[in-house]
Amino acid sequence: MKPAPFAYAAPKSVEEAAALLAAHGGDARLLAGGQSLVPMLNFRLLEPALLIDINRIAGLDGIAEIAGGLRLGALVRHRALETSPLVARRFPIIASAMAEVAHLAIRNRGTIGGSLAHSDPAAELPLLLVTLGGSVQARSVRGERTIAADDLFDGFLMTTLEHDELLTSAHFPALEPGTGWSFQEFSRRSGDFGIVSAAVTLRVSDGVCSDARIGLGGVAGTPVRLRETESALIGARLDAASMDEAARAAAAILDPPNDLHGTSAYRRHLATTLLKRGLSEALERVGTGS
């Protein structure tokens, strides 16, 4: 199929892009990497009157360590994030997750802003943003605002971004020195969307867990942060038995969807397995962060 007819604009600044969004009252779409948008246009799931290509806007493709974390411009490509020495050294869980994103050709074009704004619950970046407690910056003609990860994702392929807002950057808090981490994902074939994914970070002192962040993707309409499981682990002495119990308890309360990729019970089983692996691997990395 071919997309419905649309007008095309290629603004040179964020202000110009925001003005175009405001002028078209929800009947415009932003084009960044296009890896999700173009198929939706071709299937006519979207029929915008205007396509706003933001690839010519300078300054939206930066990767920078700032006080308190990592700042990523909306046009940073998945591949750039995967291969960045800074990200590998200071935010290895992000680099590891990016290697799981689709195929190399898609990672070369897909952008972090596009992935977050698309809000696919199986995607890696939304899961990381929720698990790590990140946020995004959004710009409109009304100004700029910060949206916390917990407030951004609003359902399957839905966010709380207004129709006239442009996501300009994402911020990920820094991992404390010595934090153990793991990113686990299961897909039937390399390059397929993950059926279930798990992100874990742990800090441990004298064998006792002092901090835990645990999230799952692919088990609900949005990424899920397992705060009850985190609370149960904090203050506990971590060993194989306690982590297995935590994984089973977390998966037991999930209500994943049934679809052509698997039943709810199958996703719950995957969640249990990936959480066990993730907790074990994160514990092994405590103290090294590698």
Side-chain angles (χ1 to χ4, degrees):
M1 294 182 66
K2 294 182 179 180
F6 56 81
Y8 173 84
K12 298 293 182 64
S13 69
V14 170
E15 292 77 14
E16 186 182 351
L20 287 167
L21 285 171
H24 285 79
D27 206 14
R29 287 292 185 274
L30 296 168
L31 172 65
Q35 302 307 291
S36 298
L37 177 64
V38 171
M40 295 179 78
L41 293 175
N42 287 341
F43 281 106
R44 302 205 176 189
L45 298 173
L46 294 174
E47 297 186 17
L50 174 67
L51 205 59
I52 304 171
D53 185 345
I54 63 172
N55 283 279
R56 291 173 177 81
I57 299 178
L60 289 185
D61 60 352
I63 299 174
E65 187 173 14
I66 60 175
L70 181 70
R71 184 186 183 278
L72 303 174
L75 289 180
V76 170
R77 312 288 167 174
H78 292 95
R79 181 61 173 167
L81 201 53
E82 177 188 359
T83 58
S84 164
L86 167 63
V87 175
R89 184 176 70 254
R90 295 285 289 118
F91 304 86
I93 189 173
I94 298 178
S96 176
M98 291 305 94
E100 301 289 342
V101 176
H103 300 282
L104 181 58
I106 291 175
R107 296 200 297 275
N108 279 334
R109 289 300 303 163
T111 64
I112 69 106
S115 179
L116 294 172
H118 186 55
S119 188
D120 191 314
E124 294 80 3
L125 276 164
L127 171 58
L128 287 173
L129 196 74
V130 167
T131 303
L132 300 180
S135 62
V136 300
Q137 295 289 120
R139 181 80 68 85
S140 71
V141 294
R142 292 170 279 110
E144 187 173 65
R145 68 175 176 133
T146 299
I147 309 172
D150 287 344
D151 299 323
L152 176 63
F153 304 109
D154 200 35
F156 182 73
L157 304 187
M158 297 173 61
T159 71
T160 57
L161 288 165
E162 300 290 345
H163 66 78
D164 63 344
E165 285 185 311
L166 165 67
L167 192 157
T168 56
S169 66
H171 177 266
F172 292 84
L175 299 180
E176 295 288 337
T179 297
W181 61 271
S182 178
F183 189 88
Q184 301 284 328
E185 182 170 296
F186 178 83
S187 58
R188 287 200 170 89
R189 297 172 300 179
S190 176
D192 284 359
F193 268 111
I195 298 175
V196 174
S197 303
V200 178
T201 69
L202 294 174
R203 284 164 47 204
V204 178
S205 177
D206 296 326
V208 175
C209 180
S210 59
D211 185 67
R213 290 179 177 270
I214 306 169
L216 287 171
V219 297
T222 64
V224 175
R225 175 98 177 262
L226 302 177
R227 296 184 186 275
E228 290 185 12
T229 304
E230 295 170 358
S231 296
L233 289 175
I234 294 172
R237 186 166 295 277
L238 298 185
D239 55 27
S242 64
M243 292 188 296
D244 282 2
E245 176 57 30
R248 292 180 187 279
I253 62 175
L254 297 174
D255 186 23
N258 290 293
D259 59 24
L260 75 166
H261 299 296
T263 64
S264 179
Y266 179 59
R267 276 193 162 86
R268 197 177 295 111
H269 171 74
L270 285 178
T272 305
T273 301
L274 295 183
L275 285 172
K276 288 181 181 179
R277 292 176 182 173
L279 287 165
S280 178
E281 185 173 65
L283 184 58
E284 290 176 3
R285 286 191 169 118
V286 167
T288 66
S290 61

